[in-house]
Amino acid sequence: MGSAPSDAPSDPPAPPAAPGPPGPYVADTVARTAKILVVGDFGVGKTSFIGSVSEIRPLRTEEPITEASTGVDDLARLPGKTSTTVAMDFGRITLNPSLALYLFGTPGQRRFWDMWAGLAEGAVGVLVIVDSRRLAGGFDVLDQVETHVAAPFAVAVNHFPDTPPHPHDRLRGALDLLPHTPIVDCNALDRDSSVAALVALAEHALTVREPAP
């Protein structure tokens, strides 16, 4: 595959074409690729997110949750979760005919955070997925991103069936986000809303890297 270039796209991304049959190579029309880091607390939906948007079979490094993690990994509100990412998730989406994104998902547990530095190298943007039912877990993740990842980020609020509605201004205040940091709602199992979150991040990264004169 090779490493993805770290330059941002020169034009705002257009809505992606409908996914075709999975293939190992990008289309001939793709002139630029970019690396996106997908991060979040344990169980927020990173693996589901990448799986829902990837046009290729996603690479997953999941292992069963065992008794050894009892009292370490918080399974509150995650009754159906039986496995967890231990290295990374990887997928690809052609965002418009000339731009493809390589998606790298990180493990959520703090004991795996040492991997973030390597995964973040060359990333042009970071999508931070949060679960507003368990918002406290997002604070340390955001601190990790702001401290150790030199790339603009956006926040995607993943909606589970029992997620209560929260106005974005309240979430922005609760997470102590700057006014220009995008917040979007998404369902990690729904391709359209997940793609919209990536588009919001790409547009934000472009704005940050190419400020208006």
Side-chain angles (χ1 to χ4, degrees):
M1 179 187 68
S3 60
S6 61
D7 55 332
S10 58
D11 297 306
Y25 306 110
V26 296
D28 292 339
T29 59
V30 171
R32 220 170 256 214
T33 62
K35 180 178 182 179
I36 299 295
L37 198 65
V38 180
V39 306
D41 191 25
F42 172 72
V44 297
K46 300 178 295 296
T47 298
S48 296
F49 181 94
I50 291 177
S52 74
V53 301
S54 182
E55 64 200 14
I56 60 174
R57 184 185 299 275
L59 170 66
R60 293 172 174 168
T61 57
E62 290 194 300
E63 294 292 338
I65 295 174
T66 65
E67 292 183 1
S69 65
T70 302
V72 179
D73 298 332
D74 183 7
L75 289 170
R77 293 183 175 268
L78 302 171
K81 188 168 181 61
T82 60
S83 62
T84 185
T85 300
V86 296
M88 72 171 190
D89 296 309
F90 172 77
R92 187 192 75 212
I93 177 174
T94 302
L95 204 57
N96 66 36
S98 64
L99 172 65
L101 302 181
Y102 291 113
L103 310 176
F104 289 77
T106 65
Q109 298 95 319
R110 183 184 293 271
R111 59 184 178 276
F112 297 127
W113 283 5
D114 287 344
M115 301 178 186
W116 284 30
L119 291 175
E121 186 174 351
V124 302
V126 183
L127 188 68
V128 182
I129 301 180
V130 300
D131 178 355
S132 61
R133 306 169 307 166
R134 302 180 297 124
L135 202 57
F139 297 129
D140 289 341
V141 170
L142 285 166
D143 181 67
Q144 179 81 352
V145 169
E146 292 175 336
T147 304
H148 299 290
V149 182
F153 68 90
V155 173
V157 183
N158 185 18
H159 283 249
F160 294 81
D162 61 340
T163 297
H166 295 291
H168 284 184
D169 57 345
R170 293 187 61 185
L171 289 173
R172 186 180 302 278
L175 294 171
D176 194 25
L177 299 175
L178 294 174
H180 67 268
T181 302
I183 301 179
V184 296
D185 295 300
C186 78
N187 177 345
L189 299 175
D190 176 74
R191 185 179 191 273
D192 289 343
S193 71
S194 297
V195 167
L198 288 172
V199 169
L201 171 62
E203 291 176 340
H204 176 58
L206 176 62
T207 300
V208 170
R209 290 173 179 270
E210 298 181 8

